[in-house]
């Protein structure tokens, strides 16, 4: 058992290593086209999943978590056209699909929590841009409250859904504020 400060430093080192690897993607002109962005995003997400499943070393775990989140962001960014006709609804749809596909596959509770909160945040952003956003926000909060209540009351809830339960509660509090 390592001390907590050593675990924290190791986790930070994994995230910093992931950040230092990001500029190397410019060598392949990854950010130049949506196809390259999608390919590299898929590769990073796949690499993150493989590293999360294969290794229990704390540094590698956090590096894999950074790769998985970056890969998810690249996949979503490849489909959302930020330069020409940006549509927040399309961004939310792609984020939701990637989250639904990756949620059961990625073996990290932190990843599942973060992508679920991000999806809820994008939903709030989409609803705020609508014309009758007060009505839509009210419906969103009722839906989120119902889902939160259901997940917290479910006694036989699978462990994999704990991240979603925490994300719903966190997102509900954030939406209300």
């Amino acid at each position: 058992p390592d001390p907590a400060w050593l675990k924290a430093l190791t986790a930070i080192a994994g995230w910093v290593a992931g950040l230092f690897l990001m500029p190397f993607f410019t060598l392949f002109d990854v950010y130049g086209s949506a196809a390259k962005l999608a390919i590299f995003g898929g590769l990073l997400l796949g690499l993150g999943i493989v590293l999360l499943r294969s290794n229990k070393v704390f540094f590698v775990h956090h590096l894999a978590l950074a790769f998985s989140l970056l890969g998810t962001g690249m996949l979503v960014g490849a489909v959302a056209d930020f330069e020409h006709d940006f549509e927040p609804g399309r961004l939310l749809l792609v984020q939701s699909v990637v989250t639904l596909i990756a949620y059961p596959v990625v073996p990290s509770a932190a990843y599942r929590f973060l992508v679920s909160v991000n999806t809820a945040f994008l939903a709030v952003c989409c609803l705020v841009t609508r014309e009758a956003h007060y009505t839509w926000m009210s419906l969103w909060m009722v839906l989120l409250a119902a889902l939160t209540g259901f997940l917290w009351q479910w006694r036989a809830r699978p462990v994999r859904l704990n991240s979603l339960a925490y994300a719903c509660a966190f997102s509900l509090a954030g939406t209300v504020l």
Side-chain angles (χ1 to χ4, degrees):
D2 295 328
W5 62 270
L6 185 60
K7 285 185 177 182
L9 284 176
T10 307
I12 291 169
W15 283 92
V16 169
L19 289 175
F20 278 130
L21 290 174
M22 280 179 34
F24 289 106
F25 295 139
T26 58
L27 295 174
F28 300 105
D29 192 32
V30 171
Y31 305 107
S33 73
K36 287 182 184 178
L37 196 63
I39 290 170
F40 269 83
L43 288 174
L44 275 176
L45 182 57
L47 177 64
I49 291 169
V50 167
L51 288 175
L52 282 168
R53 288 182 182 273
S54 67
N55 203 334
K56 298 299 178 193
V57 176
F58 212 60
F59 171 80
V60 175
H61 178 81
H62 282 274
L63 180 65
L65 183 59
F67 282 167
S68 300
L69 290 171
L70 179 62
T72 301
M74 291 173 109
L75 281 172
V76 172
V79 177
D81 189 7
F82 291 107
E83 295 177 8
H84 298 98
D85 61 342
F86 175 68
E87 173 62 36
R90 184 176 358 155
L91 183 65
L92 174 62
L93 179 66
V94 174
Q95 174 69 32
S96 300
V97 168
V98 170
T99 300
L100 284 173
I101 292 171
Y103 192 94
V105 177
V106 178
S108 170
Y111 174 87
R112 292 191 297 263
F113 172 77
L114 290 171
V115 296
S116 299
V117 167
N118 187 38
T119 305
F121 173 74
L122 285 175
V124 169
C125 290
C126 282
L127 293 175
V128 168
T129 60
R130 303 263 180 220
E131 286 197 20
H133 68 276
Y134 292 116
T135 305
W136 289 109
M137 286 299 290
S138 298
L139 289 172
W140 170 251
M141 287 195 289
V142 167
L143 176 69
L144 201 54
L147 183 60
T148 303
F150 171 75
L151 286 173
W152 283 100
Q153 292 298 319
W154 189 10
R155 300 267 184 233
R157 179 180 66 224
V159 175
R160 284 193 175 267
L161 291 181
N162 286 343
S163 301
L164 184 61
Y166 286 117
C168 285
F170 181 81
S171 300
L172 181 61
T175 304
V176 169
L177 293 177

